[in-house]
């Protein structure tokens, strides 16, 4: 059976850099990307059709495709995704949206308010997960509700996905990803770090970034944001522990 990579490109999780590394290994028709609607039933239907319409593709990438990868007769899809410290990710989202053009909701909001105002506004919208347990909301899609709460399903996804990279350990993540892909028979893939679309200073430690984040937001609001991303922090620590071994 043929195998292909499926990159779940979570927003501001080094996905553009990862895609650049993938692209270096594939032709224009072998690396493909597309976006999909929020409705899960329609999302999964369209993702499946997209794969069937691209038989030559060896690497699929999407910001909006929902987990899990489709199960197909002719091809095995290898899911790849990265997660990131949730608060550092929020700061990166804000910095990115503030400098980008366009009239999208996030971009207009970021250009017209502070980081605190940006987070407060997005969290006030009940459906908006951009600043509230973002990873949990996406990872939980991997399993149906019968597998437990959203958080339980997200943890199960972290435990069962064959590869989850860590943005803060990007280079080592690429090495581990390359090794895993080789065990899956994709031995001709060489993943070199390519840094693209970076909104934050990568030379500063996560501890220093959090100190700066706290100063911007104030102690009380910082604590509130930690609570609203508590489940994301648990997922982050789960993945981080794998890189300390």
């Amino acid at each position: 059976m043929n195998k292909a990579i499926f990159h779940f490109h979570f927003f501001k999780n080094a996905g553009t850099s990862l895609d650049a590394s993938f692209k270096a290994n594939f032709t224009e028709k072998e690396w493909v990307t597309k976006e999909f609607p929020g409705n899960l039933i329609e999302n999964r239907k369209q993702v499946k059709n997209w794969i069937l319409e691209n038989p030559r593709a060896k690497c699929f990438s999407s910001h909006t495709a929902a987990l899990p990868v489709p199960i197909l007769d002719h091809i095995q899809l290898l899911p790849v995704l990265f997660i990131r410290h949730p608060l550092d990710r929020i700061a990166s989202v804000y910095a990115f949206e503030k400098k980008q053009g366009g009239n999208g909701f996030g971009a207009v909001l970021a250009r017209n308010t502070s980081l605190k105002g940006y987070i407060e506004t997005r969290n006030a919208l009940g459906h908006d997960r951009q600043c509230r347990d973002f990873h949990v909301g996406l990872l939980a899609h991997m399993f149906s509700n019968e597998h437990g709460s959203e958080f339980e399903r997200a943890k199960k996804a972290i435990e069962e996905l064959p590869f989850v990279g860590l943005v803060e350990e990007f280079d080592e993540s690429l090495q581990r990803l390359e090794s895993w892909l080789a065990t899956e028979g994709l031995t001709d893939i060489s993943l070199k770090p390519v840094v693209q679309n970076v909104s934050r200073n990568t030379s500063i430690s996560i501890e220093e970034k959090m100190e700066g984040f706290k100063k911007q937001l104030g102690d009380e609001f910082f604590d509130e944001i930690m609570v609203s991303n508590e489940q994301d922090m648990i997922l982050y620590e789960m993945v981080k522990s794998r890189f300390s071994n």
Side-chain angles (χ1 to χ4, degrees), residues 147-166:
H147 289 277
S149 68
E150 181 186 65
F151 182 46
E152 288 169 336
R153 288 180 279 128
K155 286 197 298 181
K156 184 175 175 65
I158 290 292
E159 291 165 355
E160 296 194 14
L161 282 164
F163 177 84
V164 180
L166 195 68

Side-chain angles (χ1 to χ4, degrees), residues 1 14 36 43 47 56 61-63 66 70 72 75 79 91 93 125 136 146 159 169 187 197 204 210 214 224:
M1 180 182 290
F36 302 94
N43 184 299
V47 169
R56 293 178 58 185
S61 180
S62 175
H63 291 86
L72 301 169
I75 188 170
V93 167
L125 303 172
V136 169
E146 65 188 27
E159 291 165 355
E169 299 289 348
T187 56
N197 199 25
I204 302 173
M210 288 306 99
K214 183 180 289 190
E224 289 180 23

Side-chain angles (χ1 to χ4, degrees), residues 8-59:
F8 291 91
H9 183 167
F10 290 178
F11 184 43
K12 298 311 297 177
N13 276 17
T16 303
S17 297
L18 178 58
D19 276 340
S21 298
F22 280 142
K23 285 180 185 180
N25 291 271
F26 301 111
T27 66
E28 185 176 341
K29 292 186 177 181
E30 289 176 336
W31 181 92
V32 294
T33 185
K34 189 175 181 178
E35 303 308 332
F36 302 94
N39 178 278
L40 287 180
I41 294 175
E42 188 62 26
N43 184 299
R44 289 174 175 138
K45 177 183 175 182
Q46 291 188 23
V47 169
K48 183 176 180 179
N49 288 337
W50 177 48
I51 295 162
L52 295 173
E53 291 164 0
N54 288 274
R56 293 178 58 185
K58 296 181 180 178
C59 185

Side-chain angles (χ1 to χ4, degrees), residues 213-231:
F213 200 63
K214 183 180 289 190
K215 287 179 181 178
Q216 275 186 278
L217 299 178
D219 290 354
E220 184 176 348
F221 191 67
F222 178 86
D223 290 342
E224 289 180 23
I225 299 308
M226 284 293 290
V227 171
S228 62
N229 286 277
E230 184 176 13
Q231 294 179 352

